C-alpha cells in the first residue's frame, strides 16, 4: 500500500460512519457553525484553523456551510478575516483556498447576556439558511463556545431562547464547551445543571482536545485489536503505568489565568485522566459512544481516594516574578500524583500521573512498565525493564523497550527497541490536528471522544479533596529550577511506587 493511501479519507458527514457504529438520519439542510468568542486567542489559533483544514479536505462544502463569528468586540467582517488570515497561511495552504474560506465567515457583534446580539445572530443565520434553500426544520447549527466558563450559562440561555434550529426534518442544534469545566465538584455540577436545564445531553459536547490526538485515538485499537496485548494488560504482568506531560516553558503571559487553576486542574484532572481511562478500561460491548463512555466511567468510579503521601507538588523558581501572579501564590506548576484503581485487573498497579511546566523537555507520553523477568539468567535486570511507550507528542511514536543481545562475539545484553515512528512509517501523511477531528465528530453527532456528564462528575470527585487542601494552603509546592526534571522528591515518589528508571538508554526518533 502506498503511503498516500494511509491518509484520512474524506467521508460524507451526513451518512453512516461504520467505524463508530453510528447511523444518522441523512441530512440535507445547511450547516451553520457559530464561533462564540471569535476574537479570542483560542478561536484564532485553534478553532478557525481546524475549520479551515476541514474545509480544505472537503468536509465543509461551501454550498452547505457558513461560519459566523460572534464576540463583544465591534469589528467588521473583514477585520475578523484579517485577524484570522495569519493563522491559516502556510506552505501547505494556497492563498486561493484561504481567501475562499475567509469569504464563508461573517461577523456579528453583541453582548453575551443580552437579547439584541443573539436576535441579530439568528437573523444572519436564517439569511444563510434561506440562501441555501434549506427546508424548514432541516438546518443544522453548531455553536462553539470559545469562551470562559463563567459566561456559559448566560450564552446557553440566549442560544436556547433566540437561536435554536427547528429539528423536525433532521435539523439540530449542538453546543461545544471547552475546559476548564468548573474548578471543583460543586462548581462543575452547578455548571452542568445550568446547561442541562437548557439542552439535552446528546446536544452537549464537552471537548477535551487530548481525546482527538492520533495516538490517544489509537489506544482502543492497540488494546483490543492485538492478541499479544490482551493477556499482558493486567496486574500480573504490568508493574506500573506513567502518564506524563512536560513543557519546557513556563506560563509566559498566562500567569494570572494559570494561577486560578494550577497544573492539576489545567492538565491532570482532564487530559491525563482521560488517557488513564483509555489505558485502564475494560473492552466495551461495541464502538458505540455510550458503550465506550460507560467503561470509562467504571474506571473513574474504581479510583481510590488520593493519599497525601502519594502527591508531590512543585512551583518553578521565577513563577511569582510574573506581575499577574500573587506574591505568595501556592499554585503548583508541577505535580506527580499516584492513582490506584480498585478492581480485578489493576489492583496493586500504581498509575503515576505527572505534569509540569518549565521542565527540561517538552513531551507527552504513556509508559507501561512491565515486571522483572523471573529467574534472570542473563543478569541484565539492572539495565532496565521492558516498557511499552506511546509518545503522544511531539514525534508521534510507539516503541517497545526490550533487552537484546549486543551485536558481536560476546554474550552481552543491551536495551533496544521495536519502533513504530509515525513520521517514518507514514511518510507524506498529515496527521490531523485534534480539533479538526473533534469538530468533525460534533458535526457527525458522534460523542465517543467527548466527556459525558457522569464522567465529568466522577473525575472531579477524585481530585476535589486534594485541590481543596492545596487551595487552603495545607499542601505546599516545592521550589524547582527552570529547565530541571522538577522536584527530586517526585522521582523519589515514582521510585517508591515501583517505577524503575532506565539508565544509559535514550530513545532516538528515527530519521528518514
Amino acid at each position: 500500500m502506498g503511503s498516500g493511501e494511509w491518509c484520512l479519507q474524506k467521508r460524507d458527514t451526513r451518512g453512516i460512519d461504520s467505524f463508530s457504529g453510528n447511523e444518522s438520519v441523512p441530512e440535507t439542510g445547511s450547516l451553520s457553525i457559530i464561533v462564540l468568542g471569535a476574537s479570542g486567542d483560542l478561536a484564532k489559533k485553534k478553532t478557525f484553523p481546524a475549520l479551515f483544514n476541514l474545509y480544505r479536505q472537503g468536509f465543509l462544502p461551501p454550498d452547505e456551510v457558513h461560519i459566523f463569528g460572534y464576540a463583544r468586540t465591534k469589528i467588521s467582517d473583514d477585520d475578523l478575516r484579517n485577524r484570522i488570515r495569519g493563522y491559516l497561511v502556510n506552505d501547505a495552504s494556497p492563498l486561493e483556498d484561504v481567501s475562499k474560506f475567509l469569504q464563508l465567515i461573517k461577523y456579528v457583534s453583541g453582548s453575551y447576556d443580552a437579547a439584541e446580539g443573539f436576535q441579530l445572530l439568528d437573523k444572519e443565520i436564517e439569511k444563510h439558511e434561506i440562501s441555501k434553500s434549506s427546508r424548514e426544520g432541516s438546518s443544522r447549527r453548531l455553536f462553539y463556545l470559545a469562551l470562559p466558563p463563567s459566561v456559559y450559562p448566560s450564552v446557553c440561555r440566549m442560544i436556547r431562547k433566540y437561536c435554536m434550529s427547528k429539528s423536525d426534518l433532521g435539523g439540530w442544534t449542538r453546543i461545544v464547551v471547552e475546559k476548564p469545566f468548573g474548578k471543583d465538584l460543586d462548581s462543575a455540577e452547578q455548571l452542568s445543571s445550568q446547561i442541562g436545564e437548557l439542552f439535552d445531553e446528546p446536544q452537549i459536547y464537552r471537548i477535551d482536545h487530548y481525546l482527538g490526538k492520533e495516538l490517544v485515538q489509537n489506544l482502543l485499537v492497540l488494546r483490543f485489536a492485538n492478541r499479544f496485548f490482551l493477556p499482558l494488560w493486567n496486574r500480573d504482568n504490568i508493574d506500573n503505568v506513567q502518564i506524563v506531560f512536560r513543557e519546557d516553558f513556563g506560563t509566559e503571559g498566562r500567569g494570572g489565568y494559570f494561577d486560578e487553576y494550577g497544573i492539576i486542574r489545567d492538565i491532570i484532572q482532564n487530559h491525563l485522566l482521560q488517557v488513564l481511562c483509555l489505558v485502564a478500561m475494560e473492552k466495551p460491548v461495541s464502538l458505540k459512544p455510550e458503550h465506550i463512555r460507560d467503561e470509562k466511567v467504571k474506571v473513574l468510579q474504581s479510583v481510590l481516594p488520593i493519599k497525601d503521601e502519594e502527591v508531590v507538588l512543585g512551583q518553578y523558581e521565577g513563577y511569582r516574578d510574573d506581575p499577574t501572579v500573587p506574591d505568595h501564590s501556592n499554585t503548583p506548576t508541577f505535580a506527580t500524583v499516584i492513582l490506584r484503581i480498585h478492581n480485578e485487573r489493576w489492583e496493586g498497579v500504581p498509575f503515576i500521573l505527572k505534569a509540569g511546566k518549565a521542565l527540561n523537555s517538552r513531551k507527552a507520553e504513556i509508559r507501561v512498565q512491565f515486571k522483572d523477568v523471573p529467574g534472570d539468567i542473563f543478569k541484565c535486570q539492572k539495565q532496565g525493564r521492558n516498557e511499552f511507550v506511546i509518545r503522544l507528542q511531539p514525534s508521534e511514536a510507539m516503541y517497545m523497550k526490550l533487552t537484546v543481545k549486543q551485536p558481536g562475539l560476546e554474550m552481552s545484553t543491551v536495551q533496544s527497541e521495536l519502533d513504530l515512528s509515525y513520521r517514518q512509517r507514514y511518510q507524506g501523511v498529515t496527521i490531523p490536528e485534534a480539533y479538526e477531528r473533534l469538530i468533525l465528530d460534533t458535526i457527525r453527532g458522534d460523542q465517543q471522544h467527548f466527556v459525558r456528564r457522569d464522567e465529568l462528575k466522577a473525575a472531579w470527585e477524585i481530585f476535589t479533596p486534594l485541590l481543596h487542601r492545596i487551595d487552603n494552603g495545607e499542601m505546599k509546592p516545592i521550589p524547582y529550577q527552570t529547565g530541571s526534571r522538577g522536584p527530586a522528591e517526585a522521582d523519589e515518589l515514582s521510585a517508591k511506587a515501583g517505577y524503575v528508571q532506565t539508565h544509559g538508554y535514550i530513545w532516538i526518533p528515527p530519521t528518514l
Side-chain angles (χ1 to χ4, degrees):
M1 183 177 286
S3 62
E5 293 174 57
W6 285 97
C7 64
L8 179 68
Q9 296 294 313
K10 175 184 177 296
R11 288 182 288 181
D12 192 341
T13 61
R14 298 167 297 180
I16 296 172
D17 185 335
S18 59
F19 183 79
S20 69
N22 286 343
E23 186 170 341
S24 56
V25 177
E27 298 161 339
T28 55
S30 63
L31 172 61
S32 300
I33 300 173
I34 303 96
V35 181
L36 297 116
S39 58
D41 270 4
L42 175 66
K44 289 185 294 189
K45 294 177 181 176
K46 295 294 184 183
T47 316
F48 284 115
L51 292 171
F52 173 60
N53 287 330
L54 289 173
Y55 164 79
R56 286 193 63 221
Q57 295 172 75
F59 289 108
L60 300 180
D63 58 339
E64 288 181 18
V65 177
H66 207 72
I67 299 166
F68 298 85
Y70 184 94
R72 288 181 294 225
T73 313
K74 295 189 183 301
I75 55 174
S76 67
D77 295 350
D78 284 339
D79 288 338
L80 178 63
R81 291 166 185 159
N82 290 332
R83 288 186 183 196
I84 297 166
R85 189 185 305 273
Y87 296 98
L88 308 181
V89 175
N90 57 51
D91 294 341
S93 54
L95 291 176
E96 185 183 357
D97 287 354
V98 174
S99 296
K100 287 179 179 176
F101 171 75
L102 290 173
Q103 289 309 307
L104 298 177
I105 298 174
K106 181 165 185 61
Y107 182 74
V108 177
S109 171
S111 170
Y112 294 128
D113 57 2
E116 294 82 3
F118 285 89
Q119 289 170 329
L120 178 59
L121 177 62
D122 184 60
K123 284 180 185 174
E124 293 295 340
I125 297 170
E126 276 188 357
K127 281 185 198 173
H128 158 64
E129 291 168 349
I130 292 166
S131 73
K132 301 300 181 188
S133 304
S134 288
R135 293 172 64 193
E136 190 175 14
S138 69
S139 59
R140 297 161 287 160
R141 297 184 178 186
L142 173 61
F143 291 87
Y144 194 111
L145 276 60
L147 295 165
S150 57
V151 298
Y152 288 172
S154 62
V155 167
C156 287
R157 279 194 297 272
M158 293 295 110
I159 293 170
R160 181 78 208 178
K161 193 166 184 180
Y162 300 109
C163 297
M164 296 292 285
S165 169
K166 293 182 180 177
S167 56
D168 49 328
L169 288 174
W172 46 252
T173 302
R174 294 173 186 152
I175 64 166
V176 179
V177 291
E178 278 275 353
K179 69 124 186 142
F181 201 83
K183 290 187 72 173
D184 57 11
L185 178 59
D186 288 345
S187 59
E189 278 291 279
Q190 183 181 5
L191 204 49
S192 289
S193 296
Q194 290 170 325
I195 297 176
E197 288 169 2
L198 301 165
F199 297 97
D200 297 329
E201 185 66 23
Q203 295 177 291
I204 304 168
Y205 289 73
R206 299 175 191 86
I207 198 167
D208 184 328
H209 76 272
Y210 255 58
L211 289 175
K213 288 185 177 293
E214 182 68 35
L215 272 291
V216 173
Q217 297 221 328
N218 208 348
L219 279 169
L220 291 188
V221 180
L222 278 171
R223 287 197 53 203
F224 302 124
N226 292 291
R227 178 76 192 197
F228 53 73
F229 282 129
L230 293 175
L232 297 178
W233 213 260
N234 54 51
R235 63 191 177 94
D236 296 330
N237 299 288
I238 292 173
D239 187 272
N240 59 80
V241 178
Q242 273 203 82
I243 304 172
V244 180
F245 172 93
R246 304 165 68 88
E247 286 183 334
D248 56 3
F249 52 88
T251 53
E252 293 175 5
R254 295 176 66 244
Y257 167 83
F258 180 86
D259 201 73
E260 285 187 52
Y261 295 95
I263 199 74
I264 295 176
R265 289 184 177 96
D266 196 41
I267 302 295
I268 296 179
Q269 184 272 340
N270 41 75
H271 298 332
L272 301 195
L273 200 58
Q274 285 295 318
V275 174
L276 177 144
C277 287
L278 296 172
V279 171
M281 65 186 269
E282 298 298 320
K283 183 188 286 188
V285 175
S286 75
L287 289 172
K288 288 182 178 175
E290 294 316 306
H291 290 157
I292 291 171
R293 301 202 293 181
D294 287 346
E295 296 303 332
K296 289 168 67 183
V297 171
K298 288 178 190 175
V299 171
L300 295 174
Q301 291 173 338
S302 300
V303 174
L304 295 171
I306 298 168
K307 297 178 181 177
D308 285 0
E309 61 268 26
E310 294 197 318
V311 177
V312 170
L313 306 175
Q315 187 185 87
Y316 68 84
E317 294 171 358
Y319 169 70
R320 294 184 221 174
D321 294 344
D322 184 327
T324 62
V325 173
D327 291 341
H328 302 289
S329 170
N330 196 52
T331 301
T333 62
F334 174 99
T336 294
V337 180
I338 295 176
L339 298 188
R340 298 184 181 273
I341 300 171
H342 182 55
N343 65 16
E344 184 179 2
R345 183 182 292 270
W346 297 114
E347 186 74 43
V349 179
F351 282 73
I352 305 165
L353 275 54
K354 183 185 296 186
K357 291 182 172 291
L359 299 175
N360 59 350
S361 62
R362 173 184 169 262
K363 65 180 176 182
E365 63 185 15
I366 306 160
R367 305 185 80 88
V368 179
Q369 188 169 88
F370 291 87
K371 294 186 173 181
D372 290 326
V373 174
D376 175 24
I377 60 173
F378 293 102
K379 306 289 189 294
C380 59
Q381 284 185 359
K382 65 179 181 295
Q383 290 178 341
R385 289 170 164 171
N386 292 155
E387 283 185 11
F388 179 47
V389 182
I390 303 170
R391 186 162 175 128
L392 308 178
Q393 67 180 35
S395 304
E396 293 91 345
M398 293 179 282
Y399 60 96
M400 178 73 83
K401 280 171 55 180
L402 71 170
T403 303
V404 298
K405 177 186 172 296
Q406 176 87 45
L409 297 175
E410 300 295 326
M411 179 53 78
S412 58
T413 59
V414 67
Q415 285 259 302
S416 189
E417 73 281 319
L418 299 174
D419 196 328
L420 166 59
S421 288
Y422 273 51
R423 195 176 298 165
Q424 186 181 49
R425 178 64 180 86
Y426 303 119
Q427 295 179 33
V429 175
T430 301
I431 295 177
E433 280 289 324
Y435 280 95
E436 293 172 41
R437 194 187 308 271
L438 295 175
I439 291 172
L440 186 58
D441 282 348
T442 311
I443 296 168
R444 289 174 172 161
D446 183 351
Q447 288 195 311
Q448 175 181 331
H449 303 116
F450 295 84
V451 181
R452 201 166 65 189
R453 180 173 175 175
D454 57 342
E455 187 182 342
L456 180 73
K457 181 183 179 185
W460 277 119
E461 284 174 341
I462 293 167
F463 281 100
T464 291
L466 171 62
L467 288 166
H468 283 177
R469 291 198 292 278
I470 296 169
D471 292 344
N472 295 335
E474 295 168 33
M475 300 182 72
K476 301 287 186 184
I478 300 164
Y480 65 93
Q481 287 189 334
T482 299
S484 68
R485 284 179 53 83
E489 289 85 345
D491 286 336
E492 292 165 11
L493 177 61
S494 297
K496 189 177 177 183
Y499 178 72
V500 176
Q501 199 169 340
T502 303
H503 296 284
Y505 167 86
I506 298 173
W507 176 71
I508 302 171
T511 54
L512 301 179

